[in-house]
Amino acid sequence: MKSTTQIIKVLALFFLISFKGQSQNNYDVKNTGYISFSIANSTLPHKSKQQISLYGCNTSIIIDSGKVVSPKYSNGSYSVKRPNGFSWNTANQEVSGIPFGHQKNKTNNKKFKNFYVSKYYIASPPVVQKSKNGNKDDNLYDIGLITPDNFVFDGVKPNQLVYLDYSILKETYIDYIPVHYDKSFDKLNVYLIPFKVESPDFPWKDTKVIKNAKGASGIGALNKRDSINKLFLPYNYINKEKRHLQFKVSILNDILLDHKIFFMIDGKKRETIYLNEYYKKYGKKKIVLKVVKRKKPPCGCLPPKAKKH
């Protein structure tokens, strides 16, 4: 399988479960669209409801188990309509009220007063089977596949179909690498760091037709306001030998309206790092993150047909 296959990555578990009701947006919403989620089964035992999050330009929406945790706008909370959460083995679970199109920022500290919400990234936490011995290193993760994990809203009242399946990819174990936020985050009041991961050797489960398929990608995020600030590196055992997967992590700067975020590695700013290579060289040494102001808005905050980046 191609490495562009979408998966729902593990870090969403840590920042989404313990962080609720916060987001990095402040504007009045005028145009909204729809998303229809169809969720299949999970290999491991799971809760009755599943959580899903959306990230667009200057916008983050968390729809948690059985209730909506919405963005904070200047006049209070803006809710999307899914009061009962998302159920497993259920098709066409529709959500309305998703912001899109031209927006006007109402805060005084934003450089770009006008922006456009079109592109969304989608994340949802894995199902975790905790080890019987209580050792977190032995926890097993069922990471779901989401198709698509990003899309572009375009139309008068657009609707997007999304499919989730937690029974396709092989279960995996996880190592963690801590991160450090430098002073620039406090100075610019930034705390949400969305990212994309790509793993060309992430294993699929064998079926009658599919044998030894590998490759997947997905969406995750960090949050400075969360008590758990770590990147994750999946691994499996081959002939009883621990082997990390190849793991490319890229900041989603295309939807960050007035700032850009970088990894600081050996004194150099990088939007992308290979986490397995970092682990080999530095082990669990903290990865430093830095944020800088933008000079012009990114492509993800402009109309879809705009060529300006």
Short mmCIF file of all heavy atoms in Angstrom, two decimals, residues 227-272:
data_model
loop_
_atom_site.label_atom_id
_atom_site.label_comp_id
_atom_site.label_asym_id
_atom_site.label_seq_id
_atom_site.Cartn_x
_atom_site.Cartn_y
_atom_site.Cartn_z
N SER A 227 -0.74 18.43 29.98
CA SER A 227 0.27 17.96 30.93
C SER A 227 1.17 16.90 30.31
O SER A 227 2.23 16.58 30.85
CB SER A 227 -0.40 17.39 32.18
OG SER A 227 -1.26 16.31 31.83
N ILE A 228 0.76 16.34 29.18
CA ILE A 228 1.55 15.31 28.50
C ILE A 228 2.04 15.87 27.18
O ILE A 228 1.27 16.03 26.24
CB ILE A 228 0.72 14.03 28.26
CG1 ILE A 228 0.17 13.50 29.58
CG2 ILE A 228 1.56 12.97 27.56
CD1 ILE A 228 -0.77 12.32 29.42
N ASN A 229 3.33 16.18 27.11
CA ASN A 229 3.88 16.77 25.90
C ASN A 229 4.99 15.88 25.36
O ASN A 229 6.17 16.03 25.70
CB ASN A 229 4.40 18.18 26.19
CG ASN A 229 3.26 19.16 26.37
OD1 ASN A 229 2.52 19.43 25.44
ND2 ASN A 229 3.09 19.67 27.58
N LYS A 230 4.61 14.96 24.50
CA LYS A 230 5.55 13.99 23.96
C LYS A 230 5.17 13.65 22.52
O LYS A 230 3.99 13.57 22.19
CB LYS A 230 5.54 12.69 24.79
CG LYS A 230 5.88 12.88 26.25
CD LYS A 230 5.75 11.57 27.00
CE LYS A 230 6.05 11.74 28.48
NZ LYS A 230 5.89 10.46 29.22
N LEU A 231 6.17 13.44 21.70
CA LEU A 231 5.96 12.83 20.40
C LEU A 231 6.06 11.31 20.57
O LEU A 231 6.65 10.82 21.53
CB LEU A 231 7.00 13.31 19.39
CG LEU A 231 6.84 14.76 18.93
CD1 LEU A 231 8.06 15.17 18.11
CD2 LEU A 231 5.57 14.93 18.11
N PHE A 232 5.49 10.58 19.66
CA PHE A 232 5.45 9.13 19.79
C PHE A 232 6.11 8.46 18.60
O PHE A 232 6.06 8.96 17.48
CB PHE A 232 4.01 8.64 19.94
CG PHE A 232 3.16 8.90 18.73
CD1 PHE A 232 2.92 7.91 17.79
CD2 PHE A 232 2.60 10.16 18.53
CE1 PHE A 232 2.14 8.15 16.69
CE2 PHE A 232 1.81 10.41 17.41
CZ PHE A 232 1.58 9.41 16.49
N LEU A 233 6.75 7.33 18.87
CA LEU A 233 7.46 6.57 17.85
C LEU A 233 7.04 5.11 17.93
O LEU A 233 7.39 4.41 18.89
CB LEU A 233 8.97 6.71 18.06
CG LEU A 233 9.87 5.94 17.09
CD1 LEU A 233 9.61 6.36 15.65
CD2 LEU A 233 11.34 6.17 17.44
N PRO A 234 6.27 4.60 16.98
CA PRO A 234 5.78 3.22 17.02
C PRO A 234 6.91 2.20 16.80
O PRO A 234 7.89 2.49 16.10
CB PRO A 234 4.78 3.16 15.85
CG PRO A 234 4.46 4.58 15.53
CD PRO A 234 5.68 5.35 15.84
N TYR A 235 6.74 1.04 17.38
CA TYR A 235 7.68 -0.06 17.13
C TYR A 235 6.95 -1.39 17.26
O TYR A 235 5.88 -1.49 17.89
CB TYR A 235 8.87 0.00 18.09
CG TYR A 235 8.56 -0.26 19.55
CD1 TYR A 235 8.57 -1.56 20.08
CD2 TYR A 235 8.25 0.79 20.41
CE1 TYR A 235 8.30 -1.79 21.42
CE2 TYR A 235 7.96 0.57 21.74
CZ TYR A 235 7.99 -0.72 22.25
OH TYR A 235 7.70 -0.94 23.57
N ASN A 236 7.53 -2.41 16.67
CA ASN A 236 7.04 -3.78 16.79
C ASN A 236 8.21 -4.70 17.08
O ASN A 236 9.37 -4.27 17.09
CB ASN A 236 6.31 -4.21 15.50
CG ASN A 236 4.95 -3.57 15.37
OD1 ASN A 236 4.14 -3.63 16.28
ND2 ASN A 236 4.69 -2.95 14.23
N TYR A 237 7.92 -5.94 17.33
CA TYR A 237 8.96 -6.93 17.57
C TYR A 237 9.03 -7.88 16.38
O TYR A 237 8.02 -8.43 15.94
CB TYR A 237 8.68 -7.73 18.84
CG TYR A 237 8.85 -6.91 20.10
CD1 TYR A 237 7.76 -6.32 20.73
CD2 TYR A 237 10.12 -6.73 20.66
CE1 TYR A 237 7.91 -5.58 21.88
CE2 TYR A 237 10.28 -5.97 21.83
CZ TYR A 237 9.17 -5.41 22.42
OH TYR A 237 9.34 -4.66 23.56
N ILE A 238 10.23 -8.04 15.82
CA ILE A 238 10.47 -8.98 14.73
C ILE A 238 11.51 -9.97 15.21
O ILE A 238 12.65 -9.60 15.51
CB ILE A 238 10.96 -8.24 13.46
CG1 ILE A 238 9.89 -7.22 13.00
CG2 ILE A 238 11.25 -9.24 12.35
CD1 ILE A 238 10.31 -6.41 11.81
N ASN A 239 11.10 -11.25 15.31
CA ASN A 239 11.98 -12.28 15.88
C ASN A 239 12.48 -11.87 17.26
O ASN A 239 13.67 -11.99 17.59
CB ASN A 239 13.16 -12.56 14.95
CG ASN A 239 12.72 -13.12 13.62
OD1 ASN A 239 11.75 -13.87 13.53
ND2 ASN A 239 13.41 -12.73 12.55
N LYS A 240 11.55 -11.33 18.07
CA LYS A 240 11.80 -10.90 19.44
C LYS A 240 12.73 -9.69 19.54
O LYS A 240 13.16 -9.32 20.62
CB LYS A 240 12.35 -12.05 20.28
CG LYS A 240 11.39 -13.23 20.42
CD LYS A 240 11.96 -14.30 21.34
CE LYS A 240 10.97 -15.46 21.50
NZ LYS A 240 11.49 -16.51 22.40
N GLU A 241 13.04 -9.07 18.41
CA GLU A 241 13.89 -7.88 18.41
C GLU A 241 13.03 -6.63 18.20
O GLU A 241 12.21 -6.57 17.30
CB GLU A 241 14.93 -7.97 17.29
CG GLU A 241 15.85 -6.76 17.23
CD GLU A 241 16.85 -6.85 16.08
OE1 GLU A 241 16.90 -7.92 15.41
OE2 GLU A 241 17.57 -5.87 15.85
N LYS A 242 13.25 -5.64 19.08
CA LYS A 242 12.49 -4.39 19.02
C LYS A 242 12.96 -3.56 17.83
O LYS A 242 14.15 -3.25 17.70
CB LYS A 242 12.70 -3.61 20.32
CG LYS A 242 11.97 -2.27 20.38
CD LYS A 242 12.24 -1.61 21.72
CE LYS A 242 11.59 -0.25 21.82
NZ LYS A 242 11.86 0.38 23.15
N ARG A 243 12.02 -3.19 16.95
CA ARG A 243 12.38 -2.40 15.77
C ARG A 243 11.41 -1.24 15.60
O ARG A 243 10.20 -1.43 15.44
CB ARG A 243 12.36 -3.27 14.50
CG ARG A 243 13.42 -4.35 14.50
CD ARG A 243 13.48 -5.04 13.15
NE ARG A 243 14.45 -6.15 13.14
CZ ARG A 243 14.71 -6.90 12.09
NH1 ARG A 243 14.07 -6.67 10.94
NH2 ARG A 243 15.58 -7.88 12.17
N HIS A 244 11.95 -0.01 15.63
CA HIS A 244 11.13 1.17 15.41
C HIS A 244 10.76 1.29 13.93
O HIS A 244 11.52 0.91 13.04
CB HIS A 244 11.88 2.44 15.84
CG HIS A 244 12.02 2.57 17.32
ND1 HIS A 244 13.20 2.32 17.99
CD2 HIS A 244 11.12 2.90 18.27
CE1 HIS A 244 13.03 2.51 19.27
NE2 HIS A 244 11.78 2.86 19.48
N LEU A 245 9.58 1.85 13.69
CA LEU A 245 9.15 2.09 12.33
C LEU A 245 9.75 3.40 11.83
O LEU A 245 10.11 4.28 12.61
CB LEU A 245 7.62 2.18 12.27
CG LEU A 245 6.86 0.94 12.72
CD1 LEU A 245 5.37 1.21 12.71
CD2 LEU A 245 7.19 -0.25 11.84
N GLN A 246 9.90 3.52 10.52
CA GLN A 246 10.29 4.80 9.95
C GLN A 246 9.15 5.80 10.21
O GLN A 246 7.98 5.47 10.02
CB GLN A 246 10.53 4.66 8.45
CG GLN A 246 11.66 3.71 8.10
CD GLN A 246 11.85 3.61 6.59
OE1 GLN A 246 12.01 4.62 5.92
NE2 GLN A 246 11.83 2.40 6.08
N PHE A 247 9.52 7.02 10.62
CA PHE A 247 8.46 7.90 11.11
C PHE A 247 8.82 9.36 10.83
O PHE A 247 9.62 9.97 11.53
CB PHE A 247 8.27 7.66 12.61
CG PHE A 247 6.86 7.83 13.08
CD1 PHE A 247 5.85 7.03 12.59
CD2 PHE A 247 6.55 8.79 14.02
CE1 PHE A 247 4.54 7.17 13.03
CE2 PHE A 247 5.25 8.95 14.47
CZ PHE A 247 4.25 8.14 13.98
N LYS A 248 8.21 9.91 9.82
CA LYS A 248 8.41 11.30 9.42
C LYS A 248 7.31 12.17 10.03
O LYS A 248 6.12 11.87 9.91
CB LYS A 248 8.37 11.40 7.89
CG LYS A 248 8.51 12.79 7.33
CD LYS A 248 8.42 12.74 5.80
CE LYS A 248 8.47 14.11 5.17
NZ LYS A 248 8.34 14.03 3.70
N VAL A 249 7.70 13.26 10.71
CA VAL A 249 6.76 14.16 11.36
C VAL A 249 6.90 15.56 10.77
O VAL A 249 8.00 16.12 10.76
CB VAL A 249 6.99 14.22 12.88
CG1 VAL A 249 5.92 15.07 13.55
CG2 VAL A 249 7.01 12.82 13.49
N SER A 250 5.80 16.13 10.27
CA SER A 250 5.83 17.45 9.63
C SER A 250 4.78 18.36 10.27
O SER A 250 3.61 17.98 10.40
CB SER A 250 5.54 17.35 8.13
OG SER A 250 6.47 16.49 7.49
N ILE A 251 5.18 19.58 10.65
CA ILE A 251 4.25 20.55 11.21
C ILE A 251 3.27 21.01 10.13
O ILE A 251 3.66 21.28 8.99
CB ILE A 251 5.00 21.78 11.77
CG1 ILE A 251 6.06 21.36 12.79
CG2 ILE A 251 4.01 22.77 12.39
CD1 ILE A 251 5.52 20.75 14.05
N LEU A 252 2.00 21.12 10.47
CA LEU A 252 0.98 21.56 9.52
C LEU A 252 0.92 23.09 9.50
O LEU A 252 -0.09 23.71 9.89
CB LEU A 252 -0.38 20.96 9.88
CG LEU A 252 -0.48 19.43 9.78
CD1 LEU A 252 -1.87 18.96 10.20
CD2 LEU A 252 -0.14 18.96 8.38
N ASN A 253 1.99 23.69 9.04
CA ASN A 253 2.05 25.15 8.99
C ASN A 253 1.09 25.75 7.95
O ASN A 253 0.86 26.97 7.96
CB ASN A 253 3.48 25.61 8.69
CG ASN A 253 4.35 25.60 9.94
OD1 ASN A 253 3.92 26.01 11.01
ND2 ASN A 253 5.58 25.12 9.80
N ASP A 254 0.54 24.93 7.09
CA ASP A 254 -0.36 25.45 6.06
C ASP A 254 -1.70 25.91 6.61
O ASP A 254 -2.47 26.59 5.91
CB ASP A 254 -0.58 24.43 4.94
CG ASP A 254 -1.22 23.15 5.45
OD1 ASP A 254 -1.02 22.80 6.63
OD2 ASP A 254 -1.92 22.49 4.65
N ILE A 255 -2.03 25.58 7.88
CA ILE A 255 -3.29 26.03 8.47
C ILE A 255 -3.07 26.93 9.69
O ILE A 255 -4.03 27.25 10.39
CB ILE A 255 -4.20 24.85 8.85
CG1 ILE A 255 -3.49 23.91 9.83
CG2 ILE A 255 -4.67 24.11 7.61
CD1 ILE A 255 -4.40 22.85 10.42
N LEU A 256 -1.82 27.32 9.96
CA LEU A 256 -1.54 28.23 11.08
C LEU A 256 -1.53 29.66 10.54
O LEU A 256 -0.63 30.04 9.79
CB LEU A 256 -0.20 27.86 11.72
CG LEU A 256 -0.11 26.43 12.26
CD1 LEU A 256 1.23 26.18 12.92
CD2 LEU A 256 -1.25 26.15 13.24
N LEU A 257 -2.52 30.44 10.92
CA LEU A 257 -2.82 31.71 10.25
C LEU A 257 -1.70 32.73 10.36
O LEU A 257 -1.24 33.27 9.34
CB LEU A 257 -4.11 32.30 10.82
CG LEU A 257 -4.52 33.67 10.29
CD1 LEU A 257 -4.73 33.63 8.78
CD2 LEU A 257 -5.79 34.16 11.00
N ASP A 258 -1.28 33.07 11.57
CA ASP A 258 -0.36 34.20 11.72
C ASP A 258 0.99 33.81 12.31
O ASP A 258 1.75 34.67 12.75
CB ASP A 258 -1.01 35.30 12.57
CG ASP A 258 -1.44 34.78 13.94
OD1 ASP A 258 -1.30 33.57 14.19
OD2 ASP A 258 -1.92 35.59 14.75
N HIS A 259 1.31 32.52 12.32
CA HIS A 259 2.61 32.09 12.82
C HIS A 259 3.02 30.77 12.18
O HIS A 259 2.21 30.09 11.55
CB HIS A 259 2.57 31.93 14.35
CG HIS A 259 1.56 30.91 14.82
ND1 HIS A 259 0.23 31.22 15.03
CD2 HIS A 259 1.68 29.59 15.10
CE1 HIS A 259 -0.42 30.14 15.42
NE2 HIS A 259 0.44 29.13 15.47
N LYS A 260 4.29 30.43 12.31
CA LYS A 260 4.83 29.15 11.86
C LYS A 260 5.57 28.50 13.01
O LYS A 260 6.15 29.18 13.86
CB LYS A 260 5.78 29.34 10.67
CG LYS A 260 5.14 29.92 9.43
CD LYS A 260 6.13 30.10 8.31
CE LYS A 260 6.55 28.76 7.71
NZ LYS A 260 7.41 28.92 6.51
N ILE A 261 5.57 27.18 13.03
CA ILE A 261 6.21 26.42 14.11
C ILE A 261 7.30 25.53 13.51
O ILE A 261 7.12 24.96 12.43
CB ILE A 261 5.18 25.57 14.87
CG1 ILE A 261 4.13 26.48 15.52
CG2 ILE A 261 5.85 24.71 15.94
CD1 ILE A 261 2.97 25.75 16.16
N PHE A 262 8.41 25.42 14.24
CA PHE A 262 9.55 24.63 13.76
C PHE A 262 10.09 23.73 14.87
O PHE A 262 9.98 24.04 16.06
CB PHE A 262 10.69 25.55 13.30
CG PHE A 262 10.34 26.47 12.17
CD1 PHE A 262 9.88 27.75 12.42
CD2 PHE A 262 10.45 26.04 10.86
CE1 PHE A 262 9.55 28.60 11.37
CE2 PHE A 262 10.12 26.87 9.81
CZ PHE A 262 9.67 28.16 10.06
N PHE A 263 10.68 22.61 14.45
CA PHE A 263 11.55 21.84 15.32
C PHE A 263 12.93 22.48 15.28
O PHE A 263 13.40 22.87 14.21
CB PHE A 263 11.67 20.38 14.84
CG PHE A 263 10.37 19.65 14.78
CD1 PHE A 263 9.79 19.34 13.56
CD2 PHE A 263 9.73 19.23 15.94
CE1 PHE A 263 8.59 18.63 13.48
CE2 PHE A 263 8.53 18.54 15.89
CZ PHE A 263 7.96 18.24 14.66
N MET A 264 13.60 22.59 16.43
CA MET A 264 14.96 23.10 16.47
C MET A 264 15.90 21.92 16.70
O MET A 264 15.96 21.35 17.79
CB MET A 264 15.11 24.14 17.58
CG MET A 264 14.28 25.40 17.38
SD MET A 264 14.73 26.31 15.87
CE MET A 264 16.43 26.76 16.25
N ILE A 265 16.62 21.53 15.65
CA ILE A 265 17.54 20.40 15.72
C ILE A 265 18.94 20.89 15.38
O ILE A 265 19.16 21.43 14.29
CB ILE A 265 17.13 19.28 14.74
CG1 ILE A 265 15.65 18.91 14.92
CG2 ILE A 265 18.03 18.06 14.92
CD1 ILE A 265 15.30 18.32 16.26
N ASP A 266 19.87 20.73 16.31
CA ASP A 266 21.25 21.18 16.11
C ASP A 266 21.30 22.66 15.72
O ASP A 266 22.09 23.08 14.86
CB ASP A 266 21.96 20.33 15.05
CG ASP A 266 22.09 18.88 15.47
OD1 ASP A 266 22.20 18.63 16.69
OD2 ASP A 266 22.08 18.00 14.60
N GLY A 267 20.43 23.45 16.34
CA GLY A 267 20.42 24.89 16.10
C GLY A 267 19.77 25.32 14.81
O GLY A 267 19.78 26.51 14.47
N LYS A 268 19.15 24.39 14.07
CA LYS A 268 18.52 24.72 12.79
C LYS A 268 17.01 24.49 12.86
O LYS A 268 16.55 23.53 13.46
CB LYS A 268 19.13 23.87 11.67
CG LYS A 268 20.61 24.12 11.43
CD LYS A 268 21.13 23.25 10.30
CE LYS A 268 22.61 23.50 10.04
NZ LYS A 268 23.14 22.65 8.94
N LYS A 269 16.26 25.39 12.21
CA LYS A 269 14.81 25.26 12.16
C LYS A 269 14.40 24.25 11.09
O LYS A 269 14.86 24.33 9.96
CB LYS A 269 14.17 26.62 11.87
CG LYS A 269 14.31 27.64 12.98
CD LYS A 269 13.52 28.90 12.72
CE LYS A 269 14.04 29.65 11.52
NZ LYS A 269 13.35 30.95 11.35
N ARG A 270 13.53 23.34 11.46
CA ARG A 270 13.04 22.34 10.52
C ARG A 270 11.53 22.17 10.69
O ARG A 270 11.03 22.05 11.79
CB ARG A 270 13.72 20.99 10.76
CG ARG A 270 15.24 21.03 10.62
CD ARG A 270 15.81 19.65 10.82
NE ARG A 270 17.28 19.66 10.77
CZ ARG A 270 18.04 18.57 10.91
NH1 ARG A 270 17.47 17.39 11.11
NH2 ARG A 270 19.35 18.66 10.88
N GLU A 271 10.82 22.13 9.58
CA GLU A 271 9.39 21.85 9.63
C GLU A 271 9.13 20.34 9.66
O GLU A 271 8.04 19.91 10.03
CB GLU A 271 8.69 22.46 8.42
CG GLU A 271 8.69 23.98 8.41
CD GLU A 271 7.86 24.56 7.29
OE1 GLU A 271 6.62 24.37 7.30
OE2 GLU A 271 8.44 25.20 6.40
N THR A 272 10.12 19.55 9.27
CA THR A 272 9.99 18.10 9.21
C THR A 272 11.19 17.43 9.87
O THR A 272 12.33 17.88 9.70
CB THR A 272 9.90 17.62 7.74
OG1 THR A 272 8.71 18.16 7.15
CG2 THR A 272 9.87 16.10 7.66
#
